[in-house]
């Protein structure tokens, strides 16, 4: 690929004669974290707005030019500048879950009767996405049961939510870790988050209407404690299932997105995608060009179109050979501005 960036920060096929060569030998469309939580720390615990802003700046320093924040306590990410010219933040606002349906410190419950209006309010406040908690471990005498997960809303309520959000110009992402994922896909959600209990049929249906899947492998394959053999066994089974699901996703041409959630980082997520079977080019695309094309609804085709703002990252080494290279950008441009 030949080209460069003019003094206005826009891509050009013919760089100015006095242009400074960018460092690095390899270039990607600006990186994307398609599932993160800027305002949540591991635990989980909520973070104040200044720390959420700092997390966004840290992501940009790592070459990530576009972030899809998949839910924040009190919708505080809606107070941050939204994505413009293909870079920045795509926020989902608050988590939508009923009483007892999510981590209590992270959300305000929403009843089924209030679900549609709560989603409309988020879209009106600037959310590009709405984050639905589709299923979650139940409380048993005050104790969360990871082995006992239940749907949060009736499927008819989910369907009404999806219709309302689409009518308002937004899209719906659904958290799910159970076979309920197939029902959520049938209800019309746009992306499945986590989704380690998806099926081949659900992936086929998701692909048929242009949906996406964010496996968040750093989160769902987080190491088990050494003294917990049952959990280690469940993780091994989950990993084997995800190998099969990624193969199905490739076969049905589902858009796979790379997302770090709260506990991961993008180089490790890309490495896990390749370890579980995605070709290196596809894993990189899940964290760059494919993700940009999906999240920006086709506009990512303009990343290297003359006259468009530059959103790219360069590297001295080839990230196809070693995903850890993604954490060492040589130069990053976001919306035509070079980040230092």
């Amino acid at each position: 690929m030949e080209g460069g960036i003019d003094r206005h920060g826009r891509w050009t096929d013919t760089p100015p004669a006095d242009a400074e060569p960018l460092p690095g030998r390899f270039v990607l469309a600006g990186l994307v974290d398609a599932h993160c939580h800027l305002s949540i720390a591991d635990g989980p615990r909520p973070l104040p707005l200044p720390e959420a802003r700092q997390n966004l700046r840290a992501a940009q320093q790592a070459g990530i030019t576009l972030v899809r924040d998949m839910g924040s306590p009190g919708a505080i990410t809606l107070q941050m500048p939204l994505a413009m010219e293909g870079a920045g933040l795509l926020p989902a606002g608050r988590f939508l879950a009923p009483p007892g349906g999510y981590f209590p410190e992270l959300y305000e419950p929403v009843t089924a009767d209030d679900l549609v209006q709560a989603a409309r309010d988020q879209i009106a406040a600037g959310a590009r996405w709405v984050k639905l908690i589709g299923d979650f471990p139940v409380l048993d005498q005050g104790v969360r049961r990871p082995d006992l997960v239940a749907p949060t809303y009736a499927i008819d309520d989910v369907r009404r939510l999806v219709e309302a959000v689409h009518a308002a110009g937004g899209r719906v992402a659904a958290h799910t870790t159970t076979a309920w994922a197939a029902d959520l896909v049938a209800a019309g959600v746009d992306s499945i988050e986590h989704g380690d209990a998806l099926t081949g049929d659900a992936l086929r249906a998701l692909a048929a209407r242009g949906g996406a899947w964010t496996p968040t492998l750093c989160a769902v394959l987080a190491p088990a404690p050494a003294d917990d053999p049952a959990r280690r066994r469940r993780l091994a089974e989950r990993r084997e299932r995800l190998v099969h699901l990624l193969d199905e996703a490739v076969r049905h041409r589902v858009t796979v997105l790379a997302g770090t959630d709260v506990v991961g980082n993008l180089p490790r997520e890309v490495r896990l995608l390749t370890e579980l079977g995605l070709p290196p080019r596809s894993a990189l695309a899940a964290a760059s060009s494919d993700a940009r094309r999906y999240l920006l609804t086709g506009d990512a085709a303009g990343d290297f179109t003359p006259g468009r703002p530059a959103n790219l990252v360069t590297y001295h080494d080839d990230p196809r050979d070693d995903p850890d290279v993604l954490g060492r950008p040589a130069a990053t441009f976001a919306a035509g501005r070079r980040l230092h």
Side-chain angles (χ1 to χ4, degrees):
M1 180 180 66
E2 295 185 359
I5 300 168
D6 66 20
R7 63 189 180 89
H8 302 293
R10 299 185 180 276
W11 183 256
T12 172
D13 286 340
T14 307
D18 58 349
E20 171 191 357
L22 281 177
R25 298 183 299 129
F26 301 90
V27 62
L28 284 174
L31 297 182
V32 178
D33 189 341
H35 182 128
C36 74
H37 299 281
L38 297 172
S39 61
I40 299 175
D42 193 14
R45 59 181 177 86
L47 298 174
L49 184 58
E51 291 191 41
R53 287 174 171 154
Q54 179 56 40
N55 284 338
L56 180 58
R57 287 192 292 269
Q60 292 170 337
Q61 293 301 318
I64 299 171
T65 62
L66 187 66
V67 167
R68 183 177 63 153
D69 187 275
M70 284 277 84
S72 59
I76 69 168
T77 52
L78 293 181
Q79 300 175 43
M80 299 166 65
L82 304 182
M84 295 182 63
E85 297 186 306
L89 174 64
L90 298 172
R94 66 187 290 195
F95 297 99
L96 299 183
Y102 199 49
F103 298 108
E105 60 271 30
L106 300 183
Y107 85 118
E108 290 292 329
V110 179
T111 66
D113 290 341
D114 295 332
L115 184 61
V116 167
Q117 188 56 52
R120 286 175 175 151
D121 289 345
Q122 296 303 286
I123 298 295
R128 309 286 188 87
W129 285 80
V130 165
K131 177 63 177 294
L132 171 73
I133 305 302
D135 50 45
F136 203 69
V138 301
L139 279 173
D140 182 9
Q141 298 181 354
V143 177
R144 190 75 61 186
R145 290 278 304 275
D147 60 327
L148 188 58
V149 181
T152 52
Y153 296 104
I155 199 63
D156 286 343
D157 294 324
V158 175
R159 190 172 292 109
R160 283 190 289 271
L161 166 73
V162 170
E163 291 172 354
V165 170
H166 287 175
R171 289 190 278 180
V172 178
H175 164 116
T176 175
T177 61
T178 72
W180 185 243
D183 297 272
L184 293 167
V185 170
V189 302
D190 299 281
S191 74
I192 291 292
E193 310 302 306
H194 315 305
D196 43 295
L198 279 162
T199 64
D201 287 344
L203 285 167
R204 184 186 301 110
L206 193 62
R209 64 162 188 274
W213 173 34
T214 319
T216 62
L217 300 178
C218 287
V220 301
L221 296 177
D227 60 350
D228 192 341
R231 185 175 169 191
R232 291 202 308 274
R233 184 175 62 254
R234 290 196 299 270
L235 281 174
E237 293 170 352
R238 185 179 300 159
R239 187 182 181 99
E240 183 177 347
R241 184 165 63 248
L242 285 163
V243 168
H244 169 72
L245 288 176
L246 282 168
D247 181 66
E248 288 281 293
V250 170
R251 188 158 65 90
H252 296 305
R253 299 184 179 181
V254 175
T255 297
V256 176
L257 306 175
T260 63
D261 207 337
V262 174
V263 300
N265 61 69
L266 210 55
R268 174 160 171 72
E269 188 71 18
V270 171
R271 181 177 295 280
L272 284 169
L273 286 169
T274 60
E275 288 179 359
L276 269 62
L278 276 193
R281 286 180 179 270
S282 298
L284 287 174
S288 58
S289 55
D290 282 357
R292 295 180 62 79
R293 188 173 301 110
Y294 178 75
L295 294 176
L296 300 173
T297 58
D299 193 47
D303 280 337
F304 295 105
T305 298
R308 297 299 303 274
N311 291 291
L312 59 85
V313 58
T314 66
Y315 300 96
H316 293 295
D317 301 307
D318 191 341
R320 291 170 297 185
D321 298 333
D322 180 6
D324 287 347
V325 168
L326 294 175
R328 304 190 295 271
T332 303
F333 276 79
R337 180 173 63 92
R338 185 170 180 178
L339 305 180
H340 298 281

